[in-house]
């Protein structure tokens, strides 16, 4: 049997295969009003198509823990009960069709309050539905972004509580897996990296201080998330800086800390916290980072980064470089990628009743 189509059990949640969908923002929620941040027909159709296409786990896009935590005004959120009810429609469908529903809980930090990418993605001010971003330090992402407000300790603790509250709502909405977004230059990643964290208090400076906020978030989410359900963490394994940034060695060390705090799987990506860096992309270019974490720590890992071919994905799992693969753009292009891969590799996959035809 194909390794890619073997089930995997994390705590008491069994995912039917190793073909997973990573969080990919759709920037399509209503920005204002009573249904702001709630998924609607676009989101339902988007995720339902990948579920009927055989994807084993779908992690819903970065979902903000507060209005000011949105990357854009058009992001999804889990800061109120209206959003919970809207998400239930999606999780019910995914579960009914054999796909495990997960959600990524996020805060945009200094990269929040930007426009939709197809409109240029520029920072938005208050006059254009935007707001003042916050960060560990008053250091902008680049020359085009505003200087963020440095968080006070009280505000840091408030955000920790917002992550926990969003996790409670995610559970009520029917999600089986909660992923904490600690990658791509958003708030948690900003605290981890010395490139963006210039604090001199208990939340900055040393490795222990820079990881403090993140571990407080992990502990808060793990406390409200059921013991029988897994928590994931998405990390940028490197800032791709020559010096002064978060490194692969930091990631390996931190993976051990995350495991000790109850995280079950590390979703390993890279980059996003430093502007103007050169990233050597190519097929599977981020897989070696996942492979190193898997080889040197007790954590399960998932790999990302230009994974497009069935044989390529099969090799990653078979060679024990990762426990699963997360296909982003390829699943946007082909919602039924898992079905095609199963046919190519001889894997078993559930087929919706509506697809069966008697002959």
């Amino acid at each position: 049997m194909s390794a890619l189509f073997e089930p995997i059990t994390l705590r008491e949640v069994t995912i039917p295969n190793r073909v997973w969908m990573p969080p990919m923002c759709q920037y399509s929620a209503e920005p204002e009003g009573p249904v702001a941040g709630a998924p609607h027909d676009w989101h339902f159709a988007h995720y339902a198509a990948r579920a009927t296409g055989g994807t084993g786990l779908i992690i819903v896009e970065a979902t903000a823990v507060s209005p000011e935590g949105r990357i854009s005004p058009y992001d999804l959120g889990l800061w109120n009960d209206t959003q919970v009810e809207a998400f239930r429609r999606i999780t019910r469908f995914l579960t009914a069709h054999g796909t495990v529903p997960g959600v990524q809980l996020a805060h945009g930090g200094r990269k929040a309050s930007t426009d939709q990418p197809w409109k240029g993605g520029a920072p938005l001010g208050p006059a254009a539905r935007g707001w003042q971003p916050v960060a560990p330090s008053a250091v902008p992402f680049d020359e085009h972004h505003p200087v963020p407000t440095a968080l006070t300790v009280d505000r840091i603790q408030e955000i920790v509580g917002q992550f926990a509250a969003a996790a409670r709502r995610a559970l009520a909405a029917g999600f089986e897996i909660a992923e904490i977004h600690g990658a791509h230059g958003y708030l948690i990643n900003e605290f981890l990296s010395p490139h963006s964290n210039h604090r001199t208090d208990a939340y900055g400076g040393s490795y222990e201080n820079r990881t403090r906020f993140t571990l407080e978030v992990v502990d808060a989410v793990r406390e409200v998330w059921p013991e029988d359900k897994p928590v994931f963490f998405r990390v940028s394994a490197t800032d791709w800086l020559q010096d002064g940034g978060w490194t692969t060695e930091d990631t390996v060390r931190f993976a051990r800390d995350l495991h000790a705090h109850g995280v079950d799987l590390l979703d390993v990506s890279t980059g996003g916290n430093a502007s103007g860096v050169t990233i050597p992309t190519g097929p599977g270019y981020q897989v070696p980072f996942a492979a190193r974490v898997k080889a040197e720590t007790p954590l399960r890992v998932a790999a990302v980064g230009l994974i497009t071919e069935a044989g390529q994905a099969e090799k990653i799992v078979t060679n024990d470089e990762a426990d699963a693969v997360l296909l982003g753009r390829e699943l946007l292009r082909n919602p039924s990628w898992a079905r095609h891969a199963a046919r190519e590799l001889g894997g078993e996959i559930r087929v919706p009743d509506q697809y069966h035809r008697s002959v």
Side-chain angles (χ1 to χ4, degrees), residues 22 33 35 54 73 85 101 215 217 264 313 328 345 359:
V35 295
E85 189 57 38
L215 293 178
V217 169
D264 301 283
L345 299 171
V359 293

Side-chain angles (χ1 to χ4, degrees), residues 295-332:
E296 298 183 25
T297 80
L299 265 183
R300 300 288 190 97
V301 301
V304 302
L306 294 180
I307 301 169
T308 60
E309 303 296 330
Q312 175 195 19
E314 176 79 2
K315 182 179 178 182
I316 290 167
V317 176
T318 301
N319 290 351
D320 211 27
E321 296 175 277
D323 297 283
V325 293
L326 289 153
L327 280 74
R329 291 178 178 86
E330 196 61 23
L331 273 174
L332 295 182

Side-chain angles (χ1 to χ4, degrees), residues 16-31:
N17 61 53
R18 315 299 180 95
V19 180
W20 299 354
M21 181 176 176
M24 290 179 284
C25 290
Q26 298 298 293
Y27 304 105
S28 296
E30 290 297 326

Side-chain angles (χ1 to χ4, degrees), residues 25-353:
C25 290
Q26 298 298 293
Y27 304 105
S28 296
E30 290 297 326
E32 298 173 319
V35 295
H40 51 68
D41 285 352
W42 169 262
H43 304 91
F44 179 84
H46 172 64
Y47 293 114
R50 278 81 196 167
T52 57
T55 308
L57 165 66
I58 289 176
I59 306 176
V60 168
E61 63 203 79
T63 299
V65 301
S66 66
E68 63 273 15
R70 292 174 292 177
I71 300 167
S72 83
Y74 307 93
D75 284 14
L76 296 179
L78 269 171
W79 64 81
N80 65 45
D81 293 340
T82 298
Q83 296 157 346
V84 171
E85 189 57 38
F87 272 117
R88 285 191 184 122
R89 180 187 178 205
I90 293 173
T91 60
R92 279 196 301 264
F93 186 91
L94 268 56
T95 301
H97 290 82
T99 294
V100 174
V103 63
Q104 185 184 70
L105 305 177
H107 192 297
R110 67 179 183 173
K111 293 174 74 174
S113 189
T114 58
D115 206 351
Q116 292 159 312
W118 52 89
K119 295 179 181 177
L124 297 175
R129 296 194 175 116
W131 56 91
Q132 172 63 19
V134 297
S137 304
V139 179
F141 174 66
D142 61 19
E143 66 274 16
H144 304 296
H145 281 70
V147 176
T149 299
L151 288 163
T152 64
V153 172
D154 285 345
R155 283 286 290 120
I156 289 171
Q157 291 306 306
E158 182 181 344
I159 293 171
V160 171
Q162 289 170 344
F163 270 93
R168 287 192 192 95
R169 292 192 177 97
L171 183 64
F175 289 104
E176 293 289 314
I177 293 172
E179 177 172 276
I180 298 166
H181 196 355
H184 301 159
Y186 300 117
L187 185 64
I188 288 176
N189 191 184
E190 293 163 18
F191 269 92
L192 292 174
S193 174
H195 176 72
S196 45
N197 184 346
H198 298 179
R199 299 177 74 96
T200 57
D201 63 0
Y203 290 94
S206 68
Y207 167 88
E208 289 79 8
N209 284 356
R210 286 183 285 108
T211 60
R212 189 183 307 277
F213 168 65
T214 305
L215 293 178
E216 289 178 351
V217 169
V218 169
D219 289 345
V221 170
R222 187 71 268 181
E223 183 176 353
V224 302
W225 199 247
E227 187 66 24
D228 62 349
K229 298 184 188 299
V231 169
F232 290 6
F233 188 91
R234 187 164 228 196
V235 69
S236 279
T238 175
D239 284 341
W240 294 104
L241 291 168
Q242 294 299 315
D243 55 70
W246 182 260
T247 68
T248 310
E249 289 70 28
D250 291 327
T251 296
V252 171
R253 179 181 180 183
F254 195 48
R256 298 189 186 106
D257 293 340
L258 291 171
H259 181 262
H261 284 256
V263 169
D264 301 283
L265 181 140
L266 197 64
D267 171 358
V268 184
S269 186
T270 65
N273 192 45
S275 65
V277 297
T278 300
I279 300 177
T281 61
Y285 72 101
Q286 296 181 119
V287 174
F289 298 97
R292 181 168 175 186
V293 172
K294 184 164 176 59
E296 298 183 25
T297 80
L299 265 183
R300 300 288 190 97
V301 301
V304 302
L306 294 180
I307 301 169
T308 60
E309 303 296 330
Q312 175 195 19
E314 176 79 2
K315 182 179 178 182
I316 290 167
V317 176
T318 301
N319 290 351
D320 211 27
E321 296 175 277
D323 297 283
V325 293
L326 289 153
L327 280 74
R329 291 178 178 86
E330 196 61 23
L331 273 174
L332 295 182
R333 288 186 284 262
N334 180 4
S336 295
W337 189 95
R339 298 202 178 285
H340 297 164
R343 179 182 299 175
E344 180 178 336
L345 299 171
E348 295 182 7
I349 197 165
R350 178 179 173 178
V351 178
D353 292 340

